[in-house]
Amino acid sequence: RERDMDILGKRALVTGASGGIGRACALMLARHGARTIVLADIDEKGLVAVAAEIASLGAEALTETVDLSDSASAIAMYARAEERSGGLDIIHNNAGIMGGPPDFPDDNIDRMIATMQINLIAMMIGTKMGVGFMRARSVPGVIINTASTAALGPLPKDPAYAASKRGILAYSESCKPLHAEFGIRVIPLCPAVTDTPIVAKDADWLQPILESIRLLQPEDIAEEVRRIIEDDSLSGEAIVVHNEPLAQ
C-alpha cells in the first residue's frame, strides 16, 4: 500500500541527537529528504558534528543545546524549535539516561529524579507542545517517543529507568484519540537493548543478557522510525523492536 506520510520536505525535531539512536534517526531523516532537522542535546560538541553530517546530506540543520532535566529549558527549547523550523511535522522525543550507576538501591536520588525529568517529563512536555503546534497549524503530524522494552516489565537494578519508560508508554497510548480528531499520531517506540552510549555494558547484572543476544544498532531503530512515520495506520500502540538471540 502507498505510504501516507512522506518525509520529503518535512521539518523535524530530534532530542538526544548528538549520538546513538537520535543521531541515527536524524541522519535517516536527512537521507529521506527532510527539509529541516532541529537537533537538540546537552552535548554541544556532538551536535556540531551531527549538524555537519546533516548539512552534507542536503538538509538544513538547526542546533539547540539544552538540559532537558530542567523543565523550563525544555519548554523554551520546544517553542524555539517550532519557530526556527517554520513548523514541525515530525517530533522524535528520544533523549534519555539510565538511573545508575550505582545500581538500585544504592543509586543516587538526584540521578533518579533527573532520569524521570529527562526521560518522562521532557517527553510529556514535547508531546503536549507538539500536539499544540500541529493542531494550531491544522496539519497532520507524527510524534515518536522512545520508550524501551524496560517499560514492559520490572527492571530490579534500575527501577527509575523502568518507571520513566512505562510512563512514556502510558502517556503515548493515552494520546491515541488525537489521530482521529486532529490527524496527529503519537507512537511509543520500545527498542530492546541497543548499542548506545547510555547502556552500562560493564554492569554485572547486564552481562548474562549481553552474552545471549545480538545488540540492536541505532540504525535498526532509525529504520523502524522511518516505517512509523510513513505508515499512517500506526498510532497509540507501542512498537517493540526485539533483540535476536545469539546462536548457541
Side-chain angles (χ1 to χ4, degrees):
R1 79 190 192 51
E2 280 190 34
R3 296 180 306 186
D4 297 281
M5 183 185 237
D6 195 338
I7 293 168
L8 185 67
K10 296 294 188 293
R11 300 176 174 98
L13 163 67
V14 181
T15 69
S18 74
I21 290 170
R23 173 182 170 272
C25 288
L27 292 173
M28 175 278 296
L29 289 167
R31 286 194 192 98
H32 285 83
R35 178 191 306 189
T36 302
I37 305 166
V38 183
L39 308 164
D41 204 293
I42 198 167
D43 173 11
E44 187 171 9
K45 199 171 160 187
L47 281 183
V48 170
V50 178
E53 291 183 274
I54 296 292
S56 74
L57 292 165
E60 179 186 27
L62 303 173
T63 61
E64 284 285 346
T65 307
V66 62
D67 177 2
L68 291 173
S69 69
D70 181 273
S71 293
S73 297
I75 291 165
M77 185 280 291
Y78 282 102
R80 281 195 307 271
E82 172 73 359
E83 190 176 341
R84 292 181 69 199
S85 67
L88 296 164
D89 306 293
I90 299 163
I91 296 174
H92 186 186
N93 296 310
N94 167 73
I97 62 169
M98 301 285 286
D103 295 335
F104 182 81
D106 301 312
D107 52 344
N108 176 287
I109 206 156
D110 289 335
R111 178 78 175 189
M112 178 185 80
I113 292 166
T115 300
M116 297 307 290
Q117 289 279 2
I118 294 168
N119 296 10
L120 179 59
I121 302 296
M123 180 280 309
M124 290 166 63
I125 290 168
T127 301
K128 177 178 162 41
M129 291 183 70
V131 168
F133 300 149
M134 293 165 186
R135 191 175 67 169
R137 289 187 291 117
S138 298
V139 295
V142 186
I143 300 170
I144 297 169
N145 295 324
T146 302
S148 165
T149 50
L152 309 176
L155 193 63
K157 297 295 187 182
D158 195 349
Y161 183 78
S164 71
K165 296 301 187 176
R166 194 172 295 188
I168 291 174
L169 215 51
Y171 193 94
S172 303
E173 288 172 342
S174 300
C175 293
K176 186 168 184 177
L178 298 171
H179 186 199
E181 199 171 351
F182 304 112
I184 299 168
R185 298 186 288 128
V186 180
I187 300 108
L189 176 62
C190 296
V193 188
T194 306
D195 190 2
T196 71
I198 77 160
V199 176
K201 291 184 190 150
D202 51 355
D204 292 340
W205 62 272
L206 200 52
Q207 296 315 305
I209 299 170
L210 294 177
E211 286 162 15
S212 66
I213 58 166
R214 181 174 284 110
L215 276 176
L216 289 162
Q217 294 303 309
E219 291 71 25
D220 299 328
I221 311 307
E223 188 52 32
E224 203 60 20
V225 168
R226 181 191 63 77
R227 185 179 76 83
I228 291 167
I229 292 168
E230 291 180 347
D231 185 347
D232 197 47
S233 70
L234 299 175
S235 179
E237 285 95 14
I239 304 292
V240 183
V241 190
H242 295 286
N243 293 114
E244 290 178 17
L246 286 174
Q248 295 301 312

